[in-house]
Amino acid sequence: MSSRTAPAAVFLDLDGCLVDSTAAITTCLNHALTEVGLAPRAVEDLVRFIGPPLPEGIGTLLAEADADAGLVPTCVDAYRARYPVVSLEQTVVIPGIPAALERLGSAAPLAVVTSKPGPFARPILEGLGLIDRFVALHAPEVDLTAEPKAVTLRRALDDVADGQDPAATVMVGDRSHDMAAGRACGTATVGVTWGAGDRQELVGAGADRVVDAPQDLPGAVYDPRSGPLAR
Ligand SMILES: [Mg+2]
């Protein structure tokens, strides 16, 4: 990769992009449901809640069960009480990601931009040995308010790429809200299909490029043959 034309910064989503959190998140969602007397759901039916802010997902699950929306805080608390332990036991690095991060990191500063609150996200990155790959981790506080991902990404831009054109940076993620955040902030966007979102979702949300395997990610962010990805 040429440093002359490489991105000014690359922002990467966590769940479904760098790590597979399916087991940890679905286990804790079902724990939250059963804590308020609701039936657990099939794992396949919970995958769609991986990525978006937790209070939104819990709200949708309660509505689908015709349960009281006032139970959201109780469910979120139950989830968050269990998650710190379960996430360290059940979250795994997606194969091929460490090598992709090494190539990407040789070209540009990398930062994690996630909707998972920082006190939960950081121990996962530390436990999996990934934290040193990144110059920064940007995440919401632990709060009941669902911070839009564009707000988190804007903070990351100010921190990591302050004063540079957002179009010279790239947002990488597996869901529509990652692509939407990138577009809202003016970054280039790369969608990855090994997480919870499929190609149709990512293209529909405005992904500039979509990749199907981690080894293709560095080339999608910056291809020496076709030049830097730019909006
Ligand atoms: Mg994700």
Side-chain angles (χ1 to χ4, degrees):
M1 292 186 191
S2 159
S3 60
R4 186 169 57 84
T5 50
V10 180
F11 304 106
L12 298 116
D13 171 50
L14 179 58
D15 291 321
C17 181
L18 304 179
V19 301
D20 183 352
S21 323
T22 307
I25 290 176
T26 58
T27 294
C28 292
L29 283 172
N30 274 331
H31 170 68
L33 292 175
T34 55
E35 278 289 289
V36 295
L38 297 172
R41 305 279 288 265
V43 168
E44 313 81 75
D45 196 30
L46 295 175
V47 172
R48 61 198 155 119
F49 300 114
I50 299 174
L54 177 65
E56 283 179 18
I58 295 278
T60 302
L61 277 168
L62 291 173
E64 289 177 1
D66 288 327
D68 180 2
L71 292 171
V72 167
T74 306
C75 288
V76 169
D77 284 350
Y79 180 104
R80 286 177 174 164
R82 181 63 66 89
Y83 190 75
V85 172
V86 173
S87 65
L88 294 183
E89 294 171 350
Q90 299 188 12
T91 306
V92 294
V93 182
I94 290 167
I97 283 296
L101 292 177
E102 187 159 343
R103 282 178 61 200
L104 280 173
S106 70
L110 311 180
V112 172
V113 177
T114 177
S115 290
K116 187 189 299 301
F120 301 124
R122 183 170 293 277
I124 292 172
L125 287 164
E126 289 171 347
L128 295 174
L130 292 177
I131 192 77
D132 291 342
R133 307 275 184 175
F134 303 99
V135 299
L137 160 65
H138 284 277
E141 301 294 317
V142 179
D143 199 330
L144 266 181
T145 310
E147 177 174 279
K149 189 129 193 184
V151 174
T152 317
L153 177 56
R154 185 86 60 194
R155 231 177 15 249
L157 276 162
D158 289 345
D159 174 29
V160 178
D162 187 31
Q164 307 199 58
D165 184 356
T169 71
V170 184
M171 177 69 210
V172 181
D174 70 313
R175 297 302 305 269
S176 61
H177 71 288
D178 298 312
M179 305 298 99
R183 295 198 68 114
C185 293
T187 76
T189 50
V190 173
V192 306
T193 60
W194 55 82
D198 60 15
R199 180 173 287 267
Q200 185 182 6
E201 171 179 325
L202 294 162
V203 170
D208 294 311
R209 291 180 186 169
V210 176
V211 291
D212 297 318
Q215 60 263 36
D216 297 331
L217 182 56
V221 169
Y222 168 61
D223 186 337
R225 290 159 300 183
S226 59
L229 175 58
R231 289 219 59 98

